[in-house]
Every structure is written in structure tokens, then in C-alpha cells.
Amino acid sequence: MNFQKMIFTLQQFWSEHHCIIVQPYDVEKGAGTLNPMTFLKSIGPEPWNVAYAEPSRRPADGRYGDNPNRLYQHHQFQVILKPSPDDIQEMYLDSLRALGIDPLKHDIRFVEDNWEHPALGAWGLGWEVWLDGMEITQFTYFQQVGGIDANPVSVEITYGLERLASYIQNKESVYDLEWSDGVRYGDIFHQAEFEHSKYTFEHSDTKMLFTLFNMFEEEAKNALEESLVLPAYDYVLKCSHTFNLLDARGAISVTERTGYITRVRKLARQCAKNYLEERERLDFPLLKKQGGNMND
Amino acid sequence: MTKHLLIEIGMEEIPARFVRGAINQFHEKLDAWLNESRIHFSSSKIYATPRRIAVMFHDVSDRQEDTSEEVKGPSRKIAEDENGSWTKAALGFAKSQGVNEEALFYKTIKDVEYVHAVKNTEGVDTFELLSKHLKDMILSLQFPKNMRWGNYNIKFIRPIRWMTAMYGEQVIPFEIAGTTTSNSSKGHRFLGHDIELRDVNEYAEKLEQQFVIADIEKRKHMIVEQIKQLEADNDWHIPIDESLLEEVLFLVEYPTALAGQFEEEFLTIPKEVLITSMREHQRYFPVLNKEGELLPFFVTVRNGNEDGIEQVAKGNAKVLRARLADARFFYEEDQKMSIDSAIARLEKIVFHDELGTIGDKVRRMKHIAESLSTHLQLDEPTTEQVKRATCICKFDLVSQMVGEFPELQGTMGKDYALKAGEDQVVADAIFEHYQPRFAGDATPKSIVGAVLSLADKVDTLVGCFSIGIIPTGSQDPYALRRQAAGIVQILKDAKLDLSISALLQIAVEAHNRANLLKKEANKLQSELTQFIALRVKNTLMDIARYDIVDAVMESGFDYIELTMSKTNTLKHFITEEVKPTVEAFNRVSNLAEKADSDQINVQLLEEGPEAQLHQMLMDVESKMEEALQQKQIEKALQYLTELEQPITTFFDHVMVMVDDEALRVNRLALLHRVGALIHSFADFKKIVW
């Protein structure tokens, strides 16, 4: 199964299992969790079921396109179900079957792995799912988001698409994966991997990035003062990505690091708090959609 | 009548490291409850897999035992009026105990008569009690990490997905988080189907038919046998690491061990790296040949049967290959880095905000290590080795390999140091200075490693205590308990002529020089002494019972080796036979407490037993001191026992608490001195007979 077919399959599968399908969010982010469709929507009492593919940037993981497994930008497929359904593990395993993975022919295990994102004030408990010893999915029950107790609890399922594909297609290098018939992953992304790595590690303008960080932070605060949560949150994402760029460049000392993370967390928490208040003011509109079947 | 009782809690995969604790706790709780509730049973058995914990109690009686108990009521004065009739108080008492007034009777307690009643309680139906209490019992289980899920307002280790609760053939009804109990359970996630139990007895067998080996020991035995089979088939040697086996045991419901292979070229990577990759990251068992050399194979235990096993082996090999390729890349990159440039980078790694960088820590360690070298009178070459080892002991922290495999700190340092041409002793010390890494681990073999390890650990302890990081309960983020226990182990094994107080003083001084003391030095040192005392005590408890340990600890524990020998000696000394000796010692100690002075006026000593005791005291004092100096602990105790006879004679013939104040004070002072001598060996009053 080629890469894009995997995405179609997962979209199809989850749309048949209560989820609305949305498109990737247009601000740089390190993980699908940071998409407001997860971060903000998992806050508060409203039911919410969504699935989407998410290109995720990890500047420090850039390897100039040389390493077969590490990427500046990889792809996640993200599913959020709130409240977490009782048969969620079975549902997830069915999605693997839809991808052509027969559990009887493999060794699939749920191995404890607890997730924490300090900059988002978020944590959860769950597992990494192993397929014949390879971690293919992060499976997490959110316990706190933006410093707010998750109630009801959302379950987050994050598939690592490149890893899954390298297994399904039996390829050693990510660049040899088939994206669509006849088109390789490398054909599409290799140049970007090289250039972004070179930019990140050698050419990014540290001074400008520091200035940007401060500006983005200010703007997030300004927007929050007007209770404009979603625009504010966009600037939090920009802060987070700018920080990642500076960090990858080695421009932030270990001591300063904590300080920057604290600044981002403060903003993320404020966004979470304001978002909950805004939804409450709106009387939690999605509560009226019974059962959370968003696409019914 | 009796029936078996079965309760199984089915969950989403419980973290492997918590399964055993969870099932033991569940079992203990139920066991205790049944006993308290006077519900008898013959025996019990536990079952646990990643997805379930279950207990079975055999031959559980169907009713609580009846009880009959005598209850005390008001006194006769209050219970009877002047006409001899029962008062309201007495009638109220009868009513409250559920008996008729005719059944009341008197009983005399300490010359007062009280009304009494015999209260009979009929046992309640077991099934009824279980239905009422099981839910609360399950919800009262405590786990190291709890979670919520869905819309439910409870916390548990992982989401509960089914519950099997049966007494004989009856289902015990209750509900938790939307899950109701039934007589059915689930088979293996992929290979099995649900089962339905007509009777509790069928449990283990029916599950096994559905590819779940619920019996922990049986499953463990299967894994071990399968690994042994692979060993025999291939002429391999596969060391079974107990903690890995335990983890694997709770990652599978139906184990099948299988072997996979990786490319021989990866064997150029240090074997510690290969083993860590396999064991820690992939939960594989590394494979050796009969000579103990690492082979390019691994063994993993699959949660399933033989079906598609080649595919599983291939998949696992692919994952391992990617990991090893990364490791080789790091290994090659790291060797391009010089030790000096690595050390320079330590200045940027924060050890703790208030305690500075790793670079700062190394400088303090250097002060400590140098002072220790002087204190221990190490020779010049050894001192130089200590200095060099201290300077470079942390350099591998900035290597890519340690970044990826933190547990290889020290191991990589040693490897890279040797490659860079460092002295073998220095390289070994880099590895050794993290020892002991866990309880029961080896301690440094070399004196250089021991000194370095002590310097590292005592620096962390003093630094953390100084800024108020002191472990409480389960909170010990800097593993200070382990550091302190490590210090005790090293002092014990290395047989250094170094006291705990001297070590602490040296470290406190190093922090003082670095302007890091946030507390008064004496206070800090006394807090740390108390903290270390608990670790010393733990060590001693391995060799003797608690009262002997307490007795020795009371006499001080500054020199570990001495403290250990005393404990051993005292352990063998204390028998029924020496009870009179110890009683004589204790008589002295009891009276000695009344003394205000230890100044003996020889002029005032009476001829006879008093003078003899004094003479003996002088004699034993000097002999004991000499014996202790020569570490002849048994001899020292032997001398001490020579005091028994003069003490007994003294007490038989001499009155201590006489009216003549001068005499009294002098006798008490004599006893004080004798008592102090006894106490310098142990506080014999702590001994329990």
C-alpha cells in the first residue's frame, strides 16, 4: 500500500468510526497534538471526534536527507475521540487490519509509555503500540491539557506514518517509500529535508528568531487580552516553532531553555483557560450533538 | 457449605512493572477482608497477565462464622433502682445488645459489679456480603499511577473493560465505570474468544484453551523452557536477566520465544551498547556462544503462537538493525571528539539551577577527591590518577551515544578514554565512579574508583541537602537514598580508613569554598548523618536482627567496618547464657543515668568491691581501647564481659544511694564511667530477649 493510500484508508476508516475528517493546520508545529483541533478541542465537556493527517516539524531531527529514519518533517495521522469510547483498542486494531496488517501474523503489543508535553501543560497515560518490536503508534488518554483536568477524557491515537509505511512496504529508507505509484517519498521531500536542515543548522538568523519569539509572544498576549483565543493560540504555535529552531541551532543554553519553555507554557495555559471560558459563554454548543457523532 | 470464589478484573494493558504489585495488593486486600469478616476458606491462588488480575479463594464458606461475645454494661449502682428493678439505663443496654432483660447478669470487675449481656451475632450470607463490599474493595486499590478514562469519575491503573465475579456458579453482581460483572472473560486478544464459566473451577483451563496462560508461574516456566530449547537447538548460551524476564512475563498472555539475527558487522560496536539496545529498548535477550562471546542473534518473546513467526522475526530484526545503525553512527561520531573539547562543553550542562553546571560539580568533586587523597595518605601516583580521573569522569555526558543511551554513562567514558590513550586505572575509575548503580550492584574495585565515587555521591548529597532537596516519602528525584546507600556500601567494601563524619566534613568544606552553603555547616552535617544512619541501619539489618542493630547503632556508626564487626560479634554473643552479664550491664546503665559527674575521687572509694570495680574499670578501659584499635572486636567484647563479676559483687555489697552526698556522687560517677565504657560498645538495653 502506498503512502497516500494509507492516508486515504485511515481517513475512510475513522470517518466510518464517528470522526469528522479535517485537513492539516496551516501553522508550523512539532506534533499533531498541537493542532488546535486537538489541543483546544480536547478541553471542556463537549464531545469531539476528529481525524487528520499532520505534517510535523522537528528541526533538531533534520539530517540533511542523509539518515534513513530521521526527518526534519514527518507525517502523523492523528485521531481524537472525546470521551474515549469503551472499545477504542478494538477500533484501533481494526484500523490496522484496514491497513492490511493481520494481527495473527504479527506481534502487536501495548507497551507502557506515558506522554508529557511540558510546554503545553499536558500529560497523559497510555502506551506505544509495537508491531514486531517497532513503535508504530502513540496511544494516550489525556489526563490534563493546558493545565486543566481532562473531563471527559480524550483518547489520542497518533500513527507514525513513515514508520508504518516502511514496515508495510518493507523499505529500509524512508526516501525509498512509495508515496503514490511510481513516485518516491524522496522525490517529493528530499530537497526540503536537505534545505531545511542546512537552514536550521547553518543559516537561520538567530537574532531575528529571538526577536520573532518576543514579538509572537507579545502578540499572543495582546490577542488573549481581547479574548481572541484562536489567533492567540496561532502565535503560541509560532513561539513554539521559533523556539525549536533556536534550540536546534544551539542558540539556547540549558539554563535559558527552562525559561523559554515556561514562557510558552504560560501562554498555552492561558489559551486553554480562555478557550474553556469562551465555550462556556457560548453554552458549549457541541453538547447538544448527542453521542458526539459529529458526522451523523 | 463451601464454594470457590473468583474475581477477575479485565483491563486494557497494565504497565508490566505494575502487574505484580497490583495482583499482590488485590489478593492481600481480599484475604484480609475475608478474615476480618470471619468467612473461612482453605487456600487461595493469584493469576495475572497484562490484561487481567484475578484471585481465586478455595472452599469459601457460604456464611460468616456466628459470634458470641460478652458485653459490659453499666455498674450495679446505675443499673438497679432501690427496689432492685432494672433502671432505664439497664433496659437501654439490653435493648442495644438485642437481648431480653432476663438475660442480663452481673460480673465483678475490680471489685465493682457491672451488668453484662451475651451478644450473639448470626453470620451473614457470604454472597450477600461479597455483593455489598467487592466494589469498594476494588476501588480502594492503590496504584503508583492512576488514570481516568471516558466519562467516568473513577481512577484506576488502566481502564476496566470487563469483570468476572463468581461465587461457585453464581455471578456476584456489581458495576464499576459502566462495566458489570458476569460469568464471562476474554481470551487472547487475537487468538482467543470470550469464555463463559459455568463454574469457577473451569477458569484457568478454559482461558488456556483461548491462548491465555493466566497462571504467572506457569507462564514464566514456559518462557524459560522455550529459551532453553533455543539454547539447546543452536548451541547458544542465553543469560536470563531476571528483571527482563519479569517484564516480558507481563507483556505476554501466551508466550512464544523466537530468535532473530542481525548483521555480524555490528559486532564492532561495544558489546554494552549492543546489549543495551537489545535489552532495554527492545526487550530482547542477547545471545552468547558457549565461550561467553556475543553473537549476532537475539531472542524475543512474542505474545502469540507460532503462526507467521518468520515474519515476526524479520520485523524485529529490521527494527534492531535501524537502532544499531544509529548506534554505530554515534560511536563513530563520538570518536571524532577530543576529551578536552567534551569537558569544555560540561560548562553548559546544568546540574541544578542552584548548584551550577556539571563543570562546577566536577570542580567541587576535585576538591573533595584531593582532600580525601590526603586524608587517606594515598601515594603520589595514585593521587595523580585520582586527579586525572576526577577531571575527566563526566566527559562522556556530552557524547551522542550517552545522549541516546543515558544508561551507558561511564561505560562509554571508559571505552573512549582508553581509545584516547588514558591510563587503564583512570579509565576504569570513570566506569566505577557510578557504582553501585543499583541495590546489590558491585562497588568500585580500585581505590581510585572508590574515592571518585565517594566524591561524586557525597557532593550530590551535600549540595542537595544544602539547598533543601531532602527526600520525603516517595519523592526522591535525585535518588539521594541510593547515593547515600552507595556511600555506605563503598565504605564497607573498600575498607577505607575513613569515617562518615570526616567524609561529610570534607564535602561540606568544598561547598563552603564554592560559596554554596545555604545552611549552617553543623546543621547540614547532622541532617546528613541522620540520613546516612538509616542506610547504615539497612545494611546492618541484612546481617542481624533489629534489636542487635539498634544496640550497636546507639554506640555510634562513624566507621562502617567497625560497626559491621560489632554487629556480627554481638549477634553471636547474644544467647540465653549471657543474660546475667547483660542484666549486670543494664543495672549499671540504669543507675549511671542518675550521675551528674564522671569524676571519680579515688580517695573516697571503699576497700573491697567498690575499689575492685574501679580497678577493673581502669584495666578494661585500656585493654578495650587497644583491642578496638587493632580491630579485634571479639576480644574487646571479651574484656567487657570481665566486668560482670565485679559489677555483681559491687551491687551485692555496696549501697549506692546513701545519704552521704559525697559518697553517693562518687559511686554514681564510678557507675557512669563503667556505663560509658559498656555503651561505647553497644547499648545493651536495646536487646530484646
Side-chain angles (χ1 to χ4, degrees), chain B residues 53-250:
Chain B
I53 56 174
V55 280
M56 196 179 303
F57 287 88
H58 305 113
D59 310 306
V60 180
S61 60
D62 61 354
R63 294 194 81 77
Q64 271 181 309
E65 190 190 309
D66 297 339
T67 57
S68 172
E69 111 189 85
E70 222 175 65
V71 188
K72 182 181 141 197
S75 65
R76 182 161 209 151
K77 249 204 250 163
I78 296 168
E80 246 181 64
D81 62 17
E82 54 275 23
N83 307 323
S85 312
W86 294 119
T87 59
K88 272 189 179 171
L91 294 173
F93 169 69
K95 198 177 166 198
S96 72
Q97 299 307 317
V99 298
N100 292 326
E101 52 181 282
E102 293 84 43
L104 295 178
F105 58 94
Y106 285 113
K107 236 183 140 177
T108 309
I109 298 168
K110 284 191 183 162
D111 300 329
V112 182
E113 281 184 293
Y114 292 93
V115 173
H116 277 73
V118 172
K119 183 184 177 184
N120 289 312
T121 317
E122 207 180 314
V124 179
D125 190 48
T126 296
F127 182 79
E128 207 176 292
L129 284 171
L130 286 167
S131 314
K132 215 157 115 191
H133 295 287
L134 269 181
K135 175 176 175 169
D136 287 342
M137 228 177 314
I138 291 172
L139 289 177
S140 74
L141 293 173
Q142 306 266 334
F143 305 108
K145 272 197 169 138
N146 289 302
M147 60 171 286
R148 289 175 297 113
W149 64 96
N151 252 322
Y152 309 108
N153 224 344
I154 67 159
K155 284 187 165 188
F156 214 65
I157 189 160
R158 281 293 182 270
I160 298 174
R161 292 307 179 205
W162 77 88
M163 288 184 295
T164 317
M166 293 176 78
Y167 182 56
E169 67 295 335
Q170 263 178 300
V171 173
I172 306 160
F174 58 94
E175 190 216 298
I176 296 175
T179 305
T180 34
T181 51
S182 74
N183 63 336
S184 66
S185 174
K186 289 197 185 298
H188 186 275
R189 196 184 267 295
F190 305 119
L191 295 166
H193 300 285
D194 291 0
I195 59 165
E196 266 192 31
L197 301 174
R198 272 162 305 168
D199 187 276
V200 168
N201 278 319
E202 306 173 330
Y203 177 70
E205 192 194 324
K206 276 206 166 171
L207 275 182
E208 190 159 343
Q209 286 163 9
Q210 300 305 322
F211 298 93
V212 173
I213 310 295
D215 184 329
I216 303 169
E217 287 312 309
K218 185 171 182 182
R219 202 165 66 246
K220 189 170 179 171
H221 183 72
M222 279 171 76
I223 297 172
V224 172
E225 285 306 307
Q226 290 168 358
I227 292 176
K228 281 189 181 155
Q229 190 60 48
L230 286 168
E231 270 186 326
D233 291 349
N234 299 287
D235 222 17
W236 286 341
H237 174 53
I238 306 171
I240 296 183
D241 179 286
E242 273 302 317
S243 63
L244 178 61
L245 177 62
E246 175 81 359
E247 186 177 5
V248 167
L249 176 62
F250 291 114

Side-chain angles (χ1 to χ4, degrees), chain B residues 165-384:
Chain B
M166 293 176 78
Y167 182 56
E169 67 295 335
Q170 263 178 300
V171 173
I172 306 160
F174 58 94
E175 190 216 298
I176 296 175
T179 305
T180 34
T181 51
S182 74
N183 63 336
S184 66
S185 174
K186 289 197 185 298
H188 186 275
R189 196 184 267 295
F190 305 119
L191 295 166
H193 300 285
D194 291 0
I195 59 165
E196 266 192 31
L197 301 174
R198 272 162 305 168
D199 187 276
V200 168
N201 278 319
E202 306 173 330
Y203 177 70
E205 192 194 324
K206 276 206 166 171
L207 275 182
E208 190 159 343
Q209 286 163 9
Q210 300 305 322
F211 298 93
V212 173
I213 310 295
D215 184 329
I216 303 169
E217 287 312 309
K218 185 171 182 182
R219 202 165 66 246
K220 189 170 179 171
H221 183 72
M222 279 171 76
I223 297 172
V224 172
E225 285 306 307
Q226 290 168 358
I227 292 176
K228 281 189 181 155
Q229 190 60 48
L230 286 168
E231 270 186 326
D233 291 349
N234 299 287
D235 222 17
W236 286 341
H237 174 53
I238 306 171
I240 296 183
D241 179 286
E242 273 302 317
S243 63
L244 178 61
L245 177 62
E246 175 81 359
E247 186 177 5
V248 167
L249 176 62
F250 291 114
L251 283 174
V252 298
E253 296 208 293
Y254 191 84
T256 299
L258 60 108
Q261 193 169 5
F262 59 89
E263 286 68 17
E264 215 157 314
E265 63 193 71
F266 288 121
L267 291 177
T268 54
I269 308 171
K271 74 168 198 283
E272 291 84 0
V273 177
L274 295 172
I275 290 173
T276 304
S277 281
M278 289 189 261
R279 196 154 60 196
E280 310 297 330
H281 295 183
Q282 297 297 130
R283 279 73 156 182
Y284 299 159
F285 293 88
V287 174
L288 311 178
N289 64 14
K290 295 273 183 212
E291 285 70 48
E293 293 156 344
L294 201 64
L295 294 174
F297 296 94
F298 62 89
V299 166
T300 182
V301 181
R302 174 200 198 181
N303 182 25
N305 60 7
E306 299 269 344
D307 201 13
I309 206 148
E310 294 82 18
Q311 177 59 43
V312 176
K314 250 176 68 186
N316 277 287
K318 180 180 154 80
V319 181
L320 182 60
R321 195 179 304 129
R323 278 201 185 278
L324 295 184
D326 265 1
R328 184 170 54 187
F329 174 76
F330 296 142
Y331 190 55
E332 284 163 2
E333 283 297 299
D334 282 346
Q335 285 173 45
K336 297 176 187 161
M337 159 185 88
S338 75
I339 293 182
D340 285 346
S341 68
I343 291 173
R345 284 164 60 198
L346 296 177
E347 304 297 336
K348 286 190 175 171
I349 301 181
V350 173
F351 170 62
H352 183 282
D353 276 352
E354 292 176 61
L355 299 172
T357 64
I358 302 280
D360 295 325
K361 180 176 175 44
V362 169
R363 273 184 289 279
R364 288 193 304 269
M365 282 169 63
K366 213 171 147 228
H367 283 155
I368 298 170
E370 278 172 14
S371 304
L372 285 175
S373 303
T374 313
H375 185 91
L376 296 168
Q377 301 177 327
L378 301 184
D379 60 26
E380 185 62 31
T382 312
T383 304
E384 283 308 311

Side-chain angles (χ1 to χ4, degrees), chain B residues 454-645:
Chain B
L454 287 172
D456 190 15
K457 290 173 175 65
V458 78
D459 171 74
T460 303
L461 275 182
V462 169
C464 288
F465 269 66
S466 169
I467 59 170
I469 302 176
I470 296 172
T472 52
S474 61
Q475 295 292 309
D476 186 8
Y478 290 82
L480 299 182
R481 290 193 184 96
R482 189 164 55 78
Q483 309 275 354
I487 290 175
V488 173
Q489 288 303 318
I490 294 169
L491 288 174
K492 174 177 127 224
D493 293 354
K495 303 202 184 301
L496 299 174
D497 191 16
L498 177 65
S499 66
I500 293 169
S501 56
L503 177 65
L504 287 175
Q505 214 168 346
I506 285 170
V508 169
E509 171 53 27
H511 281 256
N512 195 19
R513 260 199 273 179
N515 274 328
L516 283 173
L517 278 198
K518 303 271 161 73
K519 261 182 206 164
E520 206 236 315
N522 285 339
K523 184 167 182 280
L524 179 60
Q525 187 146 347
S526 106
E527 283 177 359
L528 280 161
T529 308
Q530 282 175 31
F531 186 69
I532 294 177
L534 287 173
R535 272 73 238 170
V536 175
K537 199 171 164 178
N538 282 341
T539 310
L540 299 181
M541 296 286 272
D542 290 342
I543 53 175
R545 37 173 237 251
Y546 74 95
D547 56 328
I548 288 176
V549 171
D550 282 348
V552 173
M553 292 284 291
E554 278 296 314
S555 73
F557 51 88
D558 212 15
Y559 286 90
I560 300 290
E561 204 192 344
L562 174 67
T563 313
M564 300 269 301
S565 312
K566 275 197 207 165
T567 309
N568 260 322
T569 308
L570 195 59
K571 179 173 80 172
H572 293 111
F573 173 74
I574 295 293
T575 57
E576 276 298 315
E577 261 170 55
V578 301
K579 210 167 166 182
T581 314
V582 172
E583 274 163 2
F585 287 173
N586 291 349
R587 267 181 93 180
V588 172
S589 304
N590 287 335
L591 270 175
E593 283 168 16
K594 296 192 166 72
D596 299 318
S597 147
D598 59 357
Q599 295 304 312
I600 303 170
N601 181 350
V602 185
Q603 309 298 322
L604 289 175
L605 294 172
E606 250 174 45
E607 281 300 310
E610 188 175 6
Q612 279 162 21
L613 178 60
H614 179 255
Q615 184 50 48
M616 201 61 187
L617 168 68
M618 295 297 131
D619 186 31
V620 174
E621 260 183 355
S622 65
K623 282 198 294 187
M624 255 183 82
E625 193 185 341
E626 199 186 323
L628 286 176
Q629 256 174 18
Q630 290 168 3
K631 300 188 178 172
Q632 292 173 314
I633 312 300
E634 269 171 58
K635 228 176 189 178
L637 182 57
Q638 183 55 44
Y639 293 141
L640 201 58
T641 59
E642 287 173 11
L643 283 168
E644 182 200 344
Q645 201 47 50

Side-chain angles (χ1 to χ4, degrees), chain A residues 89 109 112 141 150 171, chain B residues 12 17 148 189 301 318:
Chain A
Q89 279 187 313
R109 293 193 226 169
E112 182 197 12
Y141 287 95
K171 293 279 162 54
Chain B
E12 296 185 359
R17 62 198 169 116
R148 289 175 297 113
R189 196 184 267 295
V301 181
K318 180 180 154 80

